Amino acid sequence: VTAAEEFTEFAAAAAPRLRRTAFLLCGDWHSAEDLTQTALAKVFVAWRRINQPEAAHAYATRTLVHSYLAARRLRRSGEILAGELPERPAEPHQAEDRIVLLTALAKLPTKARAVVVLRYWNDLSVDQVAATLGCSPGNVKSQSARALDKLRTLLAEPDDSAEPRPGEARRHG
Amino acid sequence: MDEERLREMLRNATNEEPPIGSIALNALRAGIRLRRKRRIQSASTCAAAVLAIGIAVPAVIGHGHRLAGARHRHGQTVYVVGTTRTGKAVTPIAVPANQAGRPIRIADIPQAAVLSPNGKTLYVEIYQPRAALLPISTRTGKPGRPIIVGGKQPGLPWPLTDAITPNGKMIYLLNETRQFVTPVNLVTGKSGRQIRVGPNPQGLAVDPNGRTAYVLVANAGVVLPINLKTNKPEKAIHVGKYPTNIVITPDGKTAYVSRGREVVPIDTATNKAERPITVGQVQGSVSELAITPDGRTVLAFFGENAGARGQSTTLTPISTSTNRAGRTIVLSNEEHGVAFAPDSRTAYISLARSVVPLRIAADRLGKPIKIPGGLGDFGGSLVITANGKILYVLAADTAGGRHSGLVYPVRTATGTVGRPIRVGGEPSGLVIAP
């Protein structure tokens, strides 16, 4: 098996999850695909230096997050800053939840958003998130606590007791 | 909101994703481009160093830049770096016999190679079992003892670019992930103290006088000069964010740094950035810089939509005497490599299916030299002999390609493509040594 074949096999297996992580980080599927491709391209450059498949997965996630952070730092990225996410076509399932969540995530600082995605979507431990982001575990904990606090406020529904959550409503009825 | 609820929302948010495209293959292609770019950068820094001290080394490194002052000798050798049909090896090809010799077996797949300024040693980058530089004698073809450079963590990703000093005693390795430069003494094989340079370093070039190394710190938007006597950084030169490529003139007086659509000249005597030269069209960025052996012209290759999917589609010559951009030339395809004729009159540029000569004085492209079957994803590496008569072109496809691992000799006078030399495998670059 050649290095190119080996890598293509890895990339095909890792791409869907990486793309979902990227989607939660940047909020749209097109940018997520670009981010995933950029991250995987960097993994290919380092391919021969990576010993085990687990290391490749961890390296790919780390590269993805760093590429995202670098892109966010790039002021001339052409992104139009807006208070709210632009309107999107209506989707039949869980659309409200998704839009509410993406709007809330977009209001978090860049690094806090990365912490939330790595902690609660990738299910990484505090130490693993710290290693991925290159910061201290204490920093991850504080970022995580602040982000959760903010999300609580942003995602709080006006009348939590009277109306079931949109996801639940659909599931039950 | 509790953590479980957040987890559930995150899961739900990604539930209805659009169908995934051919990310794996696109990433592979983008990765190959990235790798190629790093090798070109590495090659040009070394070439510039040798040029400055005027050593007559007929050598071209990686995707290479022909070195000035070289004299023709028979018995040159082209080294094919990467896997070959026999596995992990560097394969020598005798010039002008054009016959592949016995492969030099090594412990790992060679990533890249740098030739010492005196042409006696080829340093090959390997990463297994430890990140190391493996010295190979160009006289005997025997590998020496590996110089370990990877620190305490073997096997960890160690993306590096390197530059060798003109006296061949030191090599400076840039670790992009860890943000530092490591000086390595090639004589003793020992690493010096690491020098922290800042976030996202993207390139490194050693001044031809061997006094200063210039590091591009992309996120800080600076070029950081490092005094090689003291190994300490000096005052940073602001060039604007995301500088990506650097070349230095053979006399060491000016460095050219690309960022976005601009090429910024730096006066190395004062370490001050001069007025930027704008090249290219509205969108994209400079994907590569190359300098002629006589130092009179810098070629700026410009990629539309540059980045991981970057495609070089134009090139702009810049006169180093006036710092003005010449006529922009449109290329039919992405540039894979460039080599210069010894007299600096012609640059040979490899594209996807052909090698095209550029008459530098006239800013005009010559008739393309078609390479049978094309150059492939891994191909495009070019080296030229000391007398400029033969160009060697690497054609190497990814898996499933028709022409995997072939080296084509091309007569530069007539543009005639000779019989291919088969090495097989996945070769990734060529080096020519005396």
Side-chain angles (χ1 to χ4, degrees), chain A residues 7 10-29 31-44 47 55-68 117-118 121-122 132, chain B residues 14 17 20 23-24 27:
Chain A
F7 169 79
F10 161 79
R17 185 155 182 94
L18 285 173
R19 190 172 69 142
R20 283 181 215 134
T21 304
F23 172 70
L24 291 173
L25 288 171
C26 58
D28 82 88
W29 288 108
S31 306
E33 196 150 325
D34 282 349
L35 200 56
T36 308
Q37 191 186 304
T38 304
L40 285 172
K42 288 178 180 174
V43 172
F44 177 71
W47 189 244
H57 278 280
Y59 184 64
T61 307
R62 189 154 63 103
T63 309
L64 182 90
V65 174
H66 281 275
S67 302
Y68 159 71
V117 173
L118 291 173
W121 157 251
N122 287 67
T132 304
Chain B
T14 58
E17 57 182 317
I20 197 161
I23 283 185

Side-chain angles (χ1 to χ4, degrees), chain A residues 2 19-20 37 48-49 74, chain B residues 17-18 111 155 309 426:
Chain A
T2 64
R19 190 172 69 142
R20 283 181 215 134
Q37 191 186 304
R48 277 289 153 195
R49 292 163 233 156
L74 187 62
Chain B
E17 57 182 317
Q111 295 285 313
R309 291 174 175 176
E426 280 181 7

